[in-house]
Amino acid sequence: MTIELSRFDAAQYLTEPEDQAELLADAVATGDAQIIAKAIGIVARAHGMVELSKETGLNRQQLYRALGPEGNPTLATMLKVLPALGLRMRIEAAA
């Protein structure tokens, strides 16, 4: 008996901004830059890379590279991408 597996893409299920924000908050809480970048990439794919490209002025290849598994988005990229996703970055004092 052969077990068939299919790829799971979280972007297909993260359609609500609240869910996207929660994923990103959990990623930020890890303090791991790669996890944060991957989470942003998932949210970006859920939003739609073509649409995100139009809204940010960044081409799709730049977005895929910066927000992909090996990506390391710059602060400038994040300052364009997050508002286009309907999200914002907030800084607060550490406890």
Side-chain angles (χ1 to χ4, degrees):
M1 180 173 183
T2 304
I3 297 174
E4 290 187 37
L5 302 175
S6 60
R7 288 206 174 270
F8 175 77
D9 185 4
Q12 295 176 346
Y13 302 95
L14 290 170
T15 57
E16 299 299 319
E18 294 81 14
D19 295 333
Q20 295 169 358
E22 187 173 344
L23 173 70
L24 291 174
D26 288 345
V28 169
T30 69
D32 185 318
Q34 285 185 322
I35 291 174
I36 297 166
K38 186 170 184 166
I40 293 167
I42 292 168
V43 172
R45 284 196 331 278
H47 183 77
M49 290 299 227
V50 172
E51 186 66 28
L52 188 59
S53 176
K54 290 176 186 175
E55 292 176 21
T56 62
L58 302 170
N59 69 49
R60 283 182 331 138
Q61 295 300 72
Q62 285 176 293
L63 290 169
Y64 278 113
R65 197 171 348 174
L67 304 175
E70 302 299 316
N72 188 11
T74 65
L75 180 57
T77 299
M78 296 309 304
L79 292 175
K80 291 179 182 179
V81 168
L82 291 177
L85 295 174
L87 302 167
R88 66 176 158 220
M89 197 177 329
R90 187 173 82 187
I91 306 296
E92 57 187 46

